[in-house]
Structures are given as structure tokens and as C-alpha cells.
Amino acid sequence: MSQEDTKAIARELKLHAVILGGFVAVMWVEEILDQFVFGGQLNAFGIYPREPDTLRGILFMPFLHGNFTHLISNTVPFLILGWLVMVRGIRDFFIVTAAAMLLGGVGVWLFGAPGIHIGASGVVFGYLGFLLLRGLFERSFQSIALSLMVGFFYGGLVGGILPGQPGISWEGHLFGFLGGILAAKYISRRPH
């Protein structure tokens, strides 16, 4: 590998860190402000299903969290799965993120249980859906190997798309997951 290749890889990894770090920084700064300045009132900007004035929550939901435990539980898989999506390409990362946010948010707004829905887990499940099904749609050795690896380490999360624990927006998980699958199908049809 030449020195130019090494520099290009280093620049690409730095850009990955800036983008992922930017998303996570916004989540953490928002939660710090919400907890210590606004007393949890910013969570009202989440999605309350079928309430027209909470449609804005489709954009805000991934950045809002109930507490620091909730935020930490979303930060780690967001970074790991988000980076695995980003390795494919920064453009693909933004497509998958947008699909998970939009389909996840609209699905929650249309079909969610009453109550405020917040958290980045819908986007995390979007990344999971993308990574698990990418191999099926692309049928390349690399994408199949990545799908199998993600399935091995994170496949247990798939149960989160089913109704279960009270207070957990399984609807956000389900529709974010479906958004990731649609993104995988769309991206696999594009020429590389």
C-alpha cells in the first residue's frame, strides 16, 4: 500500500469519526441540556402518534432520550452499526439513516401506541435491517460475510421489533428496521 493510499484511508476514517461523532454529540448535548436546563421538557418534541403537531418529531425523535441510561444504550450500537453502514460509503450511510428516520417516524406516527416516542433505537434498527439484508440483495461475498457477522453479534436484537417490554417503542424498532431493509434493496440496485 502506498503512502497516498494510507493517507486516503486515514482521511476517510477521520471523516467517518467526524460524521458519527457529530450525530452522537448532538444526542449527548441535547440530553445534557434537557436534563440540567429544561427538566426533561424537550422530550415533548418526540412523536405522539396521530397528533398532527408532533409530525416534527419524525426529525427530532432520534436525538431525544428519556435519560442517560437510554442514551448510552443507543449510543454504542449507533456507533458500531452506523460505522459498519458507513464503511460501505458515506452516501449510503445518509441514505440508510434518512430511510430509518423517515419510515420509522412515519410508522410510529401512524401506528404507534399512545405516548411520546423518543430515541435513536429506530435508526439503530434501521442500520441492523440494512446490514442483515444487504447480503441477500447484493449477493457479493463481502456483503454476505458482513450480514452473517452482524447477524451473529447483533441478531438477538431482532426480537425488539415485536411487542414486548412496556415503555419500549417496538413500533419505532419495527419501522426503522423496515426502513433499513428498503434502503438495502434500493442501494443494491444502484451501480457502484
Side-chain angles (χ1 to χ4, degrees):
M1 184 179 303
S2 72
Q3 189 174 8
E4 280 302 312
D5 291 339
T6 304
K7 286 181 182 179
I9 291 170
R11 279 192 305 269
E12 187 76 12
L13 290 175
K14 184 177 179 181
L15 184 56
H16 291 186
V18 167
I19 293 168
L20 284 168
F23 272 92
V24 170
V26 169
M27 289 181 213
W28 277 86
V29 167
E30 184 284 326
E31 189 59 29
I32 290 168
L33 290 173
D34 191 35
Q35 293 293 319
F36 298 112
V37 177
F38 297 104
Q41 294 178 352
L42 293 180
N43 291 342
F45 288 96
I47 297 173
Y48 194 94
R50 296 165 297 284
E51 288 291 328
D53 61 336
T54 68
L55 280 168
R56 67 180 182 263
I58 292 170
L59 298 177
F60 297 134
M61 182 176 140
F63 300 100
L64 304 169
H65 292 84
N67 53 46
F68 289 108
T69 302
H70 183 207
L71 178 57
I72 290 166
S73 70
N74 281 325
T75 298
V76 173
F78 181 91
L79 287 170
I80 294 169
L81 296 176
W83 184 73
L84 289 173
V85 171
M86 192 177 284
V87 165
R88 158 81 188 230
I90 292 171
R91 181 175 180 216
D92 292 351
F93 170 81
F94 284 111
I95 290 170
V96 176
T97 302
M101 282 178 67
L102 293 175
L103 188 57
V106 170
V108 165
W109 191 84
L110 289 172
F111 303 108
I116 293 288
H117 293 253
I118 55 174
S121 57
V123 175
V124 169
F125 274 81
Y127 296 157
L128 181 64
F130 174 80
L131 292 166
L132 288 176
L133 277 287
R134 177 180 160 191
L136 176 70
F137 295 127
E138 285 186 14
R139 297 186 181 155
S140 71
F141 175 77
Q142 287 177 321
S143 61
I144 291 169
L146 182 60
S147 292
L148 291 172
M149 183 187 77
V150 168
F152 179 77
F153 287 106
Y154 284 96
L157 290 178
V158 174
I161 65 174
L162 301 172
Q165 188 176 354
I168 303 293
S169 179
W170 66 271
E171 302 96 336
H173 298 173
L174 172 64
F175 289 106
F177 189 79
L178 294 174
I181 292 171
L182 288 176
K185 188 163 182 66
Y186 168 75
I187 290 170
S188 70
R189 292 182 176 190
R190 284 191 359 237
H192 301 291

